[in-house]
Amino acid sequence: MRKFWLPLVLLLLFIHFSQGTTLVHNFASSTPAVTSYYVDRLQVVTYNIRGCRDDQGHADPEKVVDALRPLSADVIALQEVDNTLPRSSFVNQVAVIAKSLNMNYAFAPSIDFLFGTYGNAVLSKYPILHAASTPLPATREPRSLLDVTLDWYGSPLHVYATHLGVKASEHPEQIQSLYSYLQKKSSETGVLLGDFNMYADNSLLDSVRSLLQDPLYDKHIVLGTLKSKQSRKEIDHIFLSHDLQFLQATAPRIGPSDHYPVLMEIARRATKLA
């Protein structure tokens, strides 16, 4: 009978259910004071944390905290976040990371298992007004888009966090779904961040670029975002609405994951405040 149990256990480990409810937690109760008279600056990060696991498979959220803290980010999009899964000792990873960094957070499962969830998260120094998750077309593993609305100095800022599939055959439908969603938000101030599992020169991203800026691509800046002997592998991207301005970016080689965090400094385009 044992030979029948192993396939059954493996099936239960990988079987997925409908996506769970988006969770929002605000630690802070008020918006930070406005410190700039002309332009508000923002440090944004996208980081695939691989369930906080290192190359040996040991999961430790504090190692992710150690990588993120020196970046002093205002907004962080995380992918591959475990929530009470056995492989990561049943820890609510985003809650641990957010508490250590003193940030608010929203978490949306892409996969809801019997014993925990797994998905995308957004951390913010600004209050979270609303968060909602939208499923993306997928055949191998469920994927989703997390849309989080922040109170940025009294104005709404949409932070779109996503993680596309590893199969190239899934990308056309996923990009089309992203495009359709973002097209409806084209008048909103927003940042799209995530692990797209495709290089910047992939023509599928052109539809996203028709709606949002891709400053690194436009300026021919290549940041190696994936641990590899080929240091110029770049599959993690940040796109900006046109009322935002790119200032600088880096992908420091830190952290336990097989990805590096991507840090971008941006600003609201200069308009004199009333």
Side-chain angles (χ1 to χ4, degrees):
M1 289 290 291
R2 288 184 60 188
K3 66 179 181 179
F4 296 107
W5 279 107
L6 182 57
L8 178 60
V9 170
L10 291 175
L11 176 63
L12 288 174
L13 285 175
F14 287 99
I15 192 170
H16 60 267
F17 301 86
S18 59
Q19 296 177 4
T21 304
T22 302
L23 174 66
V24 175
H25 193 293
N26 279 306
F27 289 103
S29 59
S30 61
T31 305
V34 176
T35 57
S36 173
Y37 187 69
Y38 289 104
V39 180
D40 303 331
R41 294 195 175 194
L42 203 66
Q43 301 264 67
V44 299
V45 165
T46 185
Y47 189 21
N48 181 327
I49 62 174
R50 191 173 57 176
C52 297
R53 299 190 308 278
D54 58 21
D55 292 341
Q56 288 70 47
H58 177 67
D60 186 354
E62 290 302 329
K63 289 185 178 180
V64 172
V65 171
D66 291 341
L68 290 171
R69 182 175 283 116
L71 303 182
S72 300
D74 302 298
V75 177
I76 302 171
L78 300 178
Q79 303 87 47
E80 295 193 17
V81 182
D82 284 359
N83 176 37
T84 67
L85 288 177
R87 68 180 181 184
S88 49
S89 303
F90 301 97
V91 172
N92 182 342
Q93 293 183 336
V94 66
V96 171
I97 295 169
K99 184 176 181 180
S100 294
L101 296 175
N102 193 30
M103 299 179 77
N104 306 314
Y105 72 86
F107 170 75
S110 294
I111 306 177
D112 190 350
F113 298 96
L114 284 170
F115 36 73
T117 56
Y118 165 87
N120 302 311
V122 169
L123 283 65
S124 170
K125 290 182 180 178
Y126 299 90
I128 296 174
L129 302 176
H130 181 261
S133 182
T134 300
L136 299 177
T139 56
R140 177 176 178 179
E141 179 182 304
R143 302 289 175 166
S144 63
L145 172 70
L146 173 59
D147 179 357
V148 178
T149 307
L150 306 180
D151 181 354
W152 186 30
Y153 297 124
S155 298
L157 171 69
H158 285 268
V159 179
Y160 309 105
T162 194
H163 183 193
L164 301 191
V166 296
K167 291 178 62 177
S169 60
E170 295 181 319
H171 292 165
E173 281 191 277
Q174 290 176 347
I175 289 292
Q176 179 57 48
S177 183
L178 275 180
Y179 176 84
S180 298
Y181 186 91
L182 295 170
Q183 190 179 37
K184 299 172 185 177
K185 305 274 188 173
S186 59
S187 62
E188 306 286 346
T189 301
V191 182
L192 170 64
L193 315 90
D195 175 2
F196 286 76
N197 273 309
M198 60 180 76
Y199 300 136
D201 60 359
N202 192 311
S203 61
L204 287 174
L205 292 174
D206 290 345
S207 63
V208 177
R209 296 187 186 109
S210 70
L211 300 173
L212 301 171
Q213 303 176 71
D214 185 354
L216 298 182
Y217 178 76
D218 293 339
K219 297 178 182 297
H220 306 288
I221 299 172
V222 178
L223 301 176
T225 70
L226 192 63
K227 286 183 181 178
S228 170
K229 293 180 180 179
Q230 300 178 25
S231 60
R232 298 178 78 82
K233 281 193 172 182
E234 178 185 37
I235 61 175
D236 306 271
H237 306 290
I238 300 177
F239 301 86
L240 311 175
S241 59
H242 290 280
D243 55 345
L244 297 174
Q245 180 180 1
F246 167 78
L247 299 176
Q248 59 184 338
T250 184
R253 298 192 168 199
I254 55 176
S257 176
D258 54 342
H259 290 244
Y260 298 121
V262 181
L263 170 67
M264 184 179 289
E265 184 178 4
I266 63 176
R268 205 192 310 265
R269 292 199 179 274
T271 53
K272 189 174 181 179
L273 300 178

